[in-house]
Amino acid sequence: MEGIKEFINAICRPAPFLVLAIVALGLFLALYRKLTKPAAAAVLGGGFTLFFLLSCLDPNFQKIVAKADNVPIVMMMFAIGYFLWLSFRQAALNDAAIEAGQPLREAGSDDKVLVWPDLVYSEFISLILFTAFLTVWAIVLRAPLEQPADPNVAPNPAKAPWYFLGLQEMLVYFDPWLAGVLLPGLIIVGLVAIPYIDTNPRGNGYYTFKERRFAITMFLAGFVILWVVLIIFGTFLRGPNWNFFGPYEYWDMHKPMALLNTEFHDLFWTGLLGRALPTEGRGPIPAYLIREAPGIALLGAYFILGPLILRVLFFRKLAAKMGLIRYSVMVMLLLVMLLMPIKMVLRWTINLHYIVGITEWSLNV
Amino acid sequence: MSVGSWIREGQIWGSIFRHGVPRDRRTRAMAVLSNVFLHLHPVAVRKSGIRLSFTWCMGGLTFFLFLVEIVTGVLLMFYYRPTVEYAYFDIQGLRAHVTLGLLRELHRWGAHAMIITIWLHMLRVFLTGSYKPPREFNWSVGVILLVLTLLLSFTGYLLPWDQLAMWAITVGSNMARATPFLGNEGPGAAFIQIGGVPLVHAGDDARFGLLAGTFVGPNALLRFYVLHCVFIPIVVTVLLAVHFWRVRKDGGISGPL
Ligand code: HEM
């Protein structure tokens, strides 16, 4: 038993956890027709539930999932699992129907029913059931109220509200101007842009995966992995000092943390060229810009050559269909999104701190 | 004549509901058309659109939770004063002395639930491709609603004025310090200066604007209270009107063409 717990604690570390989540999503998307069959889904859902319930026997696990404010996150986990199943099940049925030349599940768009009673009644029933659910929840679980606010006593860990914990997790890898300002801003811009950059006319108004593989995969990568999984991670697996703690591990205030960071400029100047960091400016160019030039060039190449390479390798047809502006916006958003896992992997593997570190301007990436 | 039909055929009933009992097509259509609340709906809808497995009723539940928040929120306002002296103890008193003290629970769990349902609503709209023409604009309206819902929740988080509240908001609002150009620790802020005198510092940057101070104190509490109880709800209400109106104008719940 302890051995199993140790093992699970170990695979819940940031790197394996994220890799496992990505693999799980990938498998789900690759095998969605098989995995959403009721029997398979029941085994998966039941298995996870059983695992979760058994885990609740562990005092450390129980302490963190039963915390009043964390209960909604547990609900969200199950809800998102269920609704992903529900939608991909319908997508699988529709995709099979399309292949067989049969009508979609949502077909018959001319069959109209009256709002009173058909819609009004089902709205009313949903409303009653949900009220009952919310009332029971409110009776069973008290809203938390801790000690009065005290600006001199900071709790450890100090966590943002749960729905922002994905962003707080990003703070491990990026400076606040990125994790707290630019990335959230780009998430909003990116969401608003979706309808204008997705020019695929198919899959409008019905569940399908086959006809929209790229769009759906990207959206789920963002929503499920980079948003929801990171929230779950930040809530359940980050403890004092924002240190990692396995699900069955005690939140020890004094867990030591390894802090050995590598800067990209050190890798380049010292590691690659075997020289000291440049300390002299050249004419109007200050020394720190010369020091960071390799990092700037690398990022520049990522955002300038990236779109071109992607276009040649993968997006030839897509780019032609989308036109220059749409393609550029789409690929920029995609590259920003990919920068997150890239930076995470660089941190885990070579402990990279900043790619570009112009600390003189607080401009660090 | 039964009591029921006596009431339903009397003048009072007839003056409120200007149609007979909704039994046939005409009166059922009238039931929707002549009611300001129900006429958010069209008279008839596509059969596939109202199947629970299609919409999951998630937009509807989000709206319902918004209403729950308004009702419980107004009741909470009767008991709560947004000042550092009273805020915490008002909440404590509410929990100890008020009959049916479930208010706060309903309000807090309702808010959490609303965030989950709005995400699920977005997921369903995405997976059914319902943001595609002609519904692009309504998706954008939805994204703004999503942002506002998160802000509603964020501003409300501070109001109990306990440790959880203060420090969660401290962590969150510290980000504003790093806003490019506008935050005093943000990239580029050092360039905003006149004759060598920097213009952006802790006393006037983006974070200061958010908190009305350099720390989470009484001004921040008041500011968050007003945003939470008045300003954001009004904006959300207006945008919801646009959102629902557009659902109808864009041809109702989406379906295969
Ligand atoms: C306060 C938040 C919101 C409320 C109360 C709300 C409510 C609703 C309702 C009641 C519907 C009718 C169909 C349904 O129930 O699914 C709807 C449709 C729609 N919503 Fe929302 N919504 C909200 C936020 C959002 C968000 C965040 C998005 C997307 C980012 C969005 C995009 C849409 C679109 C595109 C439709 C049309 C869907 C179709 O025709 O199938 N809404 N909304």
Side-chain angles (χ1 to χ4, degrees), chain B residues 2 26 30 51 54 59 65 109 119 122 177 180 201 213 239 250:
Chain B
S2 73
R26 200 189 71 85
M30 286 299 290
R51 265 218 324 262
F54 189 74
L65 283 165
W109 305 142
W119 287 349
M122 182 174 78
R177 251 204 295 247
H201 21 60
L239 284 178
D250 294 340

Side-chain angles (χ1 to χ4, degrees), chain B residues 8-29:
Chain B
R8 262 184 258 122
E9 279 154 32
Q11 187 184 359
I12 299 179
W13 185 273
S15 71
I16 303 175
F17 303 103
R18 296 190 157 173
H19 50 77
V21 182
R23 273 205 198 101
D24 52 30
R25 245 191 115 75
R26 200 189 71 85
T27 45
R28 284 175 168 175

Side-chain angles (χ1 to χ4, degrees), chain B residues 55 59-60 62-63 114 118 121-122 124-125 130 135 138-139 142-143 145-146 149 240 243-244 247 252-254:
Chain B
T55 63
T62 310
F63 181 51
M114 184 171 168
I118 196 174
H121 173 57
M122 182 174 78
R124 139 15 227 168
V125 170
S130 304
R135 296 184 180 79
N138 214 15
W139 167 272
V143 175
L145 278 169
L146 172 66
T149 304
L240 277 180
H243 195 60
F244 295 155
V247 172
I253 311 267
S254 59

Side-chain angles (χ1 to χ4, degrees), chain A residues 67-69 72-73 75-76 79-80 83-84 86-88 90 104-120 122-123 126-127 130-131 134-135 137-139 141-155 158-164 168 171 176-177 179-182 188 191-196 198 200-208 212 215-216 219-220 223-224 227-228 231 360-363, chain B residues 22 24-25 28-29 31-32 38 41-48 50-58 61 64-65 68 88-89 91-92 95 101-102 104-106 108-110 112-113 115-117 119-120 122-124 126-137 139-140 143-144 146-147 150-151 153-154 157 160-164 166-169 171-172 174-176 178-180 185-191 215 254-257:
Chain A
K67 212 171 141 227
D69 264 338
I73 308 171
M75 292 186 192
M76 175 184 71
I80 288 185
F83 284 111
L84 276 180
L86 185 64
S87 40
F88 275 82
Q90 297 181 73
L104 298 163
R105 288 166 53 77
E106 292 87 352
S109 48
D110 296 333
D111 305 351
K112 293 238 174 173
V113 290
L114 283 176
V115 162
W116 186 297
D118 291 80
L119 178 56
V120 178
S122 51
E123 283 176 344
S126 312
L127 190 151
F130 207 76
T131 310
L134 201 63
T135 313
W137 184 2
I139 293 174
L141 207 63
R142 295 239 72 176
L145 189 66
E146 299 188 351
Q147 294 301 308
D150 182 349
N152 301 314
V153 183
K159 290 193 178 183
W162 65 269
Y163 34 85
F164 290 147
Q168 200 174 352
L171 278 176
W177 75 277
V181 185
L182 202 69
I188 298 170
L191 283 174
V192 170
I194 286 177
Y196 303 99
D198 179 2
N200 176 1
R202 284 184 296 171
N204 184 345
Y206 53 94
Y207 288 99
T208 171
R212 305 171 53 208
I216 291 182
F219 185 81
L220 292 185
F223 177 66
V224 177
W227 190 256
V228 174
I231 287 178
E360 290 78 358
W361 297 349
S362 327
L363 185 73
Chain B
D24 52 30
R25 245 191 115 75
R28 284 175 168 175
V32 173
L38 291 182
H41 302 105
V43 169
V45 285
R46 202 171 280 140
K47 210 168 178 176
S48 69
I50 63 166
R51 265 218 324 262
L52 214 51
S53 58
F54 189 74
T55 63
W56 317 339
C57 201
M58 272 308 154
L61 282 181
F64 166 63
L65 283 165
V68 169
Y88 180 79
F89 299 101
I91 298 283
Q92 218 177 26
R95 160 186 270 218
L102 284 183
R104 196 174 152 238
E105 275 68 26
L106 285 174
R108 192 181 187 97
W109 305 142
H112 285 337
I115 290 180
I116 299 173
T117 57
W119 287 349
L120 289 172
M122 182 174 78
L123 182 67
R124 139 15 227 168
F126 186 89
L127 289 177
T128 53
S130 304
Y131 58 83
K132 300 192 173 199
R135 296 184 180 79
E136 309 100 307
F137 179 69
W139 167 272
S140 314
V143 175
I144 308 299
L146 172 66
V147 174
L150 290 175
L151 285 180
S153 214
F154 184 68
Y157 217 87
W161 204 246
D162 62 347
Q163 281 290 71
L164 194 63
M166 164 172 271
W167 288 96
I169 302 306
V171 170
N174 275 348
M175 298 298 118
T179 314
E185 288 171 13
F191 297 122
F215 60 98
S254 59
L257 302 170

Side-chain angles (χ1 to χ4, degrees), chain A residues 285-299:
Chain A
I285 307 171
Y288 54 82
L289 282 189
I290 301 177
R291 184 191 72 212
E292 298 305 328
I296 297 174
L298 190 69
L299 264 192

